[in-house]
Amino acid sequence: MEGIKEAIAFITGLAVKAEKPEVVQINGRTYCTKDLRRYDAADKAKPIKATTLTSLVDYIKESREELRDRMIIQVISATEVLLYSGLLPERDRETLFEVNALLPQFEYGREYDQESFLVSMQSCFMASDDREAVTILASNITNTQEQAYSDNGVTQQATMKTGITTKENVLVPNPVNLIPYRTFLEVEQPASDFIFRISEGRGGAPVFKLVAADGGLWKSQAVENVKKYLTEALKDIPNREQITIIA
């Protein structure tokens, strides 16, 4: 019993000692043993966050005194761009500006009811012939219930047909080529092919969905469009050679 008490006391002492932070010197640099965070690390600013490429261009043009000798603009994706410094003496970088596109949301592969789908086609896609064709077809789909009844005095018979049909004959190419808002609004939006599907949802109501059919090719096109926009927008600034744009 005495040995167990001593073991518990020893373990408790180790825990207390582990919780106590200590300052140590390693290769001339100061660290805390608690989380190994350096006390003498260089101060860095938190990045400014925005939603448009225009705001990034304005910052670079009007706040040159905040930039370092070498700066890098990296197009991370179709919806994200970072501005950060070249390598610092500590072999790391400072991020000064972060841009994330603010875009309408459309879920590809999800089934939408008729009203939601028609609203999304107007708000999430640029005008085009195929968008118009899809909208016309979707607006002309209706749920039908046809009934026939007969009674000859001896037997009764009832027939009911249910399903979805079009109110008008409308031809739509499939796949359809649409232009969703998927990258910064300042640049050209890449067009993509989509499979357009109509089916019956709950209660027989028609539902609609779009399935991407381009294998994600639009992403590389959008990134290249963003890079071209930034290259053109910054071509005339002083010391342009100090800023590298990569994608």
Side-chain angles (χ1 to χ4, degrees):
M1 194 65 164
E2 186 67 27
I4 295 177
K5 290 182 179 180
E6 291 178 356
I8 293 175
F10 177 74
I11 294 173
T12 302
L14 290 178
V16 172
K17 185 177 181 181
E19 291 179 357
K20 182 180 179 181
E22 295 182 7
V23 176
V24 296
Q25 295 285 332
I26 301 177
N27 291 334
R29 295 173 179 171
T30 306
Y31 294 87
C32 175
T33 57
K34 184 87 172 179
D35 57 5
L36 288 182
R37 178 177 298 175
R38 283 183 52 194
Y39 283 105
D40 61 344
D43 291 332
K44 295 179 183 176
K46 292 184 178 180
I48 298 171
K49 296 185 178 182
T51 58
T52 65
L53 296 176
T54 304
S55 61
L56 172 60
V57 172
D58 290 342
Y59 171 76
I60 293 174
K61 289 182 176 180
E62 299 175 13
S63 302
R64 299 287 295 178
E65 70 282 356
E66 295 186 9
L67 304 184
R68 297 182 182 271
D69 291 338
R70 293 292 302 175
M71 300 299 299
I72 298 174
I73 298 176
Q74 183 177 12
V75 184
I76 302 294
S77 68
T79 59
E80 183 182 7
V81 176
L82 297 179
L83 170 68
Y84 50 88
S85 68
L87 284 176
L88 303 176
E90 298 294 332
R91 307 302 293 175
D92 58 357
R93 304 178 190 276
E94 180 179 22
T95 303
L96 294 182
F97 211 97
E98 179 181 337
V99 191
N100 291 283
L102 186 61
L103 301 169
Q105 298 298 313
F106 184 89
E107 296 182 39
Y108 303 100
R110 169 193 161 186
E111 292 183 335
Y112 285 81
D113 62 64
Q114 190 172 44
E115 181 178 1
S116 298
F117 184 78
L118 292 174
V119 170
S120 294
M121 290 303 298
Q122 298 294 323
S123 62
C124 300
F125 296 82
M126 295 185 65
S128 66
D129 291 342
D130 278 10
R131 189 194 77 166
E132 184 69 14
V134 169
T135 302
I136 291 174
L137 178 59
S139 63
N140 279 278
I141 295 292
T142 183
N143 183 37
T144 63
Q145 289 190 348
E146 298 179 1
Q147 302 181 45
Y149 177 78
S150 65
D151 185 351
N152 60 10
V154 179
T155 60
Q156 295 177 319
Q157 181 176 342
T159 303
M160 178 179 290
K161 296 180 180 180
T162 64
I164 57 175
T165 184
T166 58
K167 291 186 289 187
E168 299 177 4
N169 291 325
V170 181
L171 296 178
V172 175
N174 215 349
V176 291
N177 191 259
L178 300 173
I179 312 172
Y181 295 110
R182 294 180 292 188
T183 187
F184 295 94
L185 300 183
E186 295 98 325
V187 308
E188 181 182 356
Q189 303 293 317
S192 294
D193 285 341
F194 296 90
I195 305 298
F196 176 46
R197 302 295 295 170
I198 308 169
S199 57
E200 288 189 30
R202 183 174 301 177
V207 292
F208 310 85
K209 69 179 178 180
L210 292 171
V211 180
D214 75 339
L217 180 62
W218 71 271
K219 295 179 181 179
S220 59
Q221 295 175 342
V223 166
E224 185 62 27
N225 290 347
V226 172
K227 181 180 178 181
K228 288 181 179 179
Y229 172 86
L230 292 172
T231 300
E232 180 65 22
L234 297 172
K235 67 178 183 180
D236 295 327
I237 65 171
N239 302 318
R240 169 63 180 83
E241 68 281 358
Q242 296 179 353
I243 300 179
T244 302
I245 303 175
I246 60 175

